[in-house]
Amino acid sequence: MSSPDSTVDAVFDAVAATAPEIRAALPGRRVESGTENESGESVLAGDLYADELLGDAIIAVDGVGSFVSEERESAVDAGGAVGSGAGDALAVAIDPLDGSSNLRSNNAMGTVVGVYDAPLPASGRDLVAAGYVLYGPITTMVVADETGVREEVVTADGDGVERSVVEADLSLPATPTVYGFGGRVPDWPADFRAYARSIEDELKLRYGGAMVGDVNQVLTYGGVFAYPALRSASEGKLRLQFEANPIAYIVERAGGASSDGTGSILDVEPEAVHQRTPVYVGNEALIERLEEALDRE
Ligand code: AFP
């Protein structure tokens, strides 16, 4: 069995290797597939294609023992007992095409990856690495692990896929500039709406409807991203295993903070593969203000 570090490297090699192929396939896969995923959301042909390509590539990595995806009902056995002990395998959770509703409008979207050293569903504290691919004007990949956070540009030519590190120590700017809040304003609870009003007076709105694109704005310019608890859905919209945990891990390793409204997302108790959680990530001071705002009776 390969070492955890080499398995993590191999997982992100596999993710990067599929990125150009997924990007090239998007123009022809903007249509509904006619199916729904475990979260009851309609699935585009692009979601299924990305899930198939990434699933095959990740499951084939030596050292990966289990795989889950937003588009699949339950974990796929990839061979090997998952755990943190010597010789144990790792578990990988992905959102294969986060923000796929942006496909029709030709806006940013991406892939989110969490690598855990515990069986899924797992705590965010069991993450050993996390990352995301962002399909924007260029294709980039952000990878966080115990050494820190780096940003890479992913390109493909006749000789294959190239990963170029463009920022070896990605950290949240100290001065926040942008914010992005999901959901509809009337569906925001009063305490979050009051917080949002204060942020709107201070920062610039940057909300694109794909978490990876909006979080990338926060990592680049400083600020806060939230998909809050809603009056109609107290757990919000985003999924813990393959959206919230990986993004929280990345933002916290980049010097920011995360919260589910009461404390770090990484401490949210895992109960089910597709469970949802409210998501607040960004500069520490803004997350502290958020938790104070939600704590008021
Ligand atoms: P899709 O993958 O269905 O486009 O949803 C994207 C997402 O899960 C996340 O990336 C966004 O932050 C959030 O949903 C956007 O949700 P709204 O469409 O309700 O703003």
Side-chain angles (χ1 to χ4, degrees):
M1 182 70 70
S2 55
S3 73
D5 287 351
S6 61
T7 300
V8 167
D9 291 343
V11 165
F12 285 102
D13 278 340
V15 171
T18 56
E21 201 171 343
I22 290 172
R23 187 175 190 122
L26 292 178
R29 287 175 172 79
R30 303 171 77 180
V31 295
E32 297 283 343
S33 67
T35 62
E36 285 191 350
N37 62 20
E38 271 311 289
S39 300
E41 296 164 338
S42 66
V43 175
L44 294 185
D47 289 308
L48 294 182
Y49 184 75
D51 181 58
E52 180 186 342
L53 227 62
L54 285 159
D56 291 348
I58 291 169
I59 288 167
V61 170
D62 180 34
V64 170
S66 174
F67 170 80
V68 296
S69 161
E70 179 180 295
E71 308 308 343
R72 302 191 194 203
E73 181 180 350
S74 54
V76 175
D77 180 7
V82 174
S84 56
D88 284 349
L90 298 177
V92 179
I94 71 167
D95 179 356
L97 203 55
D98 173 70
S100 58
S101 57
N102 277 351
L103 197 44
R104 285 178 55 196
S105 57
N106 192 27
N107 291 105
M109 69 199 78
T111 297
V112 187
V113 181
V115 185
Y116 298 82
D117 66 358
L120 301 175
S123 161
R125 297 297 176 190
D126 294 319
L127 280 166
V128 295
Y132 59 81
V133 173
L134 177 56
Y135 298 111
I138 60 175
T139 303
T140 55
M141 182 163 75
V142 167
V143 181
D145 57 27
E146 60 186 11
T147 66
V149 186
R150 64 184 181 275
E151 180 185 31
E152 305 174 7
V153 169
V154 179
T155 52
D157 57 26
D159 299 330
V161 174
E162 184 174 352
R163 296 170 56 179
S164 312
V165 176
V166 293
E167 177 52 71
D169 181 21
L170 184 61
S171 60
L172 212 60
T175 305
T177 306
V178 299
Y179 76 94
F181 297 151
R184 290 181 171 81
V185 174
D187 206 7
W188 291 346
D191 50 9
F192 179 75
R193 197 183 304 192
Y195 170 78
R197 288 288 176 266
S198 69
I199 294 293
E200 286 165 355
D201 289 342
E202 299 168 23
L203 305 181
K204 294 192 293 185
L205 173 59
R206 290 290 186 274
Y207 187 77
M211 178 185 61
V212 287
D214 296 329
V215 167
N216 205 61
Q217 290 259 20
V218 169
L219 280 173
T220 306
Y221 298 114
V224 55
F225 167 81
Y227 206 103
L230 302 174
R231 295 167 64 192
S232 64
S234 61
E235 293 309 306
K237 175 181 182 183
L238 302 180
R239 277 63 39 142
L240 179 67
Q241 294 297 300
F242 24 71
E243 291 171 309
N245 270 341
I247 290 301
Y249 180 89
I250 293 165
V251 173
E252 292 192 12
R253 300 229 41 97
S258 79
S259 181
D260 68 338
T262 59
S264 171
I265 287 171
L266 301 181
D267 292 322
V268 172
E269 190 62 33
E271 293 165 354
V273 165
H274 294 277
Q275 84 185 74
R276 301 173 191 266
T277 178
V279 175
Y280 311 91
V281 293
N283 288 80
E284 200 161 356
L286 297 180
I287 299 302
E288 286 170 359
R289 271 172 58 184
L290 177 279
E291 289 183 343
E292 288 164 11
L294 300 192
D295 193 28
R296 292 186 197 117
E297 293 305 313

